[in-house]
Amino acid sequence: MKEKILTVSVAAYNVEKYLKKLVGSITAMKNRDMVEVLIVDDGSKDRTPDLGMKYQAQYPGLIRYIRKENGGHGSTINTGIREAKGRYFRALDGDDWLDTAGADELVERLAQESEADAVITDFCVYTPSGSRYECVYKSLEDGEIYSFAGLYEKTHTIRYHAVIYRTGLIQQHELTLDEHRFFVDSEYLLFPVPYIEKIR
């Protein structure tokens, strides 16, 4: 069995409408054997549990369904971090999905990565009205290594969907977000900062 390079932890609360798209974007990857997907169900009351168990049975070794009591968004990330086996960790929301070709390239590049404690990626946002905008870090050089201070000189805004952490770093320092709270995206970005030395 190949080493899992990337853990994708999905915060899943009443996301039956969205899981098919998210799962499909990953199962279509040619490098999916280097990925693990944790569907962390935060006490959903819709068909999310049925779908999570179905996908786990359909894609063993790729998808793991984890059912837990409702604890809020932070609790799903905490569970994902504890359960992660991949070298790198990415948190997603249940209504997100990955660009399949981009995810394949990302995993290939992460497999070669030996220095970075965190990796920053571009991403796109789609609104309910159908509009789309890209969050592109034009001031950052692709493949360059930055210190946190060096990164801050180049860009003052890093968003939740842009960050991938080295799993060992966030597990070693027991990154734990507040439960039953809003704004844990900010905690997810800020809590690891003291331990990060190199950002790709």
Side-chain angles (χ1 to χ4, degrees):
M1 183 181 199
K2 277 192 176 180
E3 176 194 5
K4 295 297 185 180
I5 300 299
L6 179 65
T7 295
V8 177
S9 181
V10 180
Y13 179 71
N14 292 344
V15 291
E16 65 175 326
K17 293 191 296 186
Y18 308 107
L19 270 184
K20 182 177 180 181
K21 184 168 189 174
L22 187 153
V23 168
S25 72
I26 297 172
T27 57
M29 291 174 62
K30 66 177 195 276
N31 292 317
R32 74 183 195 190
D33 58 339
M34 293 193 286
V35 177
E36 73 164 348
V37 179
L38 306 178
I39 298 174
V40 184
D41 179 1
D42 195 37
S44 295
K45 295 174 174 50
D46 65 355
R47 290 185 56 248
T48 297
D50 297 334
L51 293 173
M53 288 186 286
K54 173 187 151 186
Y55 291 134
Q56 177 177 264
Q58 195 172 354
Y59 301 103
L62 172 63
I63 295 176
R64 202 156 30 117
Y65 171 72
I66 301 168
R67 174 83 171 174
K68 57 178 285 305
E69 288 185 16
N70 183 267
H73 189 219
S75 75
T76 66
I77 296 173
N78 293 338
T79 299
I81 290 170
R82 282 194 304 270
E83 296 288 329
K85 303 288 191 288
R87 190 189 307 170
Y88 282 91
F89 180 89
R90 168 163 242 160
L92 292 181
D93 295 333
D95 59 351
D96 294 331
W97 67 93
L98 297 179
D99 173 80
T100 300
D104 267 319
E105 181 183 352
L106 173 67
V107 170
E108 287 172 4
R109 293 175 71 170
L110 289 177
Q112 304 302 314
E113 183 59 59
S114 61
E115 294 185 87
D117 296 316
V119 174
I120 307 297
T121 67
D122 299 331
F123 64 96
C124 297
V125 174
Y126 293 81
T127 67
S129 64
S131 59
R132 170 186 186 273
Y133 70 88
E134 296 182 359
C135 185
V136 178
Y137 293 96
K138 295 179 180 175
S139 58
L140 302 179
E141 293 292 327
D142 185 25
E144 188 70 29
I145 283 278
Y146 296 92
S147 65
F148 186 82
L151 183 81
Y152 186 74
E153 287 176 7
K154 296 284 187 179
T155 181
H156 292 187
T157 305
I158 298 294
R159 307 255 313 265
Y160 165 79
H161 285 91
V163 178
I164 298 169
Y165 291 120
R166 183 167 55 79
T167 305
L169 180 135
I170 56 177
Q171 287 178 339
Q172 174 189 350
H173 295 288
E174 299 179 345
L175 173 67
T176 304
L177 308 183
D178 283 326
E179 305 200 356
H180 295 290
R181 295 287 183 267
F182 294 106
F183 309 114
V184 294
D185 292 12
S186 297
E187 293 183 348
Y188 183 72
L189 292 169
L190 293 172
F191 286 179
V193 167
Y195 314 113
I196 291 173
E197 294 182 3
K198 296 181 178 179
I199 303 167
R200 175 84 66 193

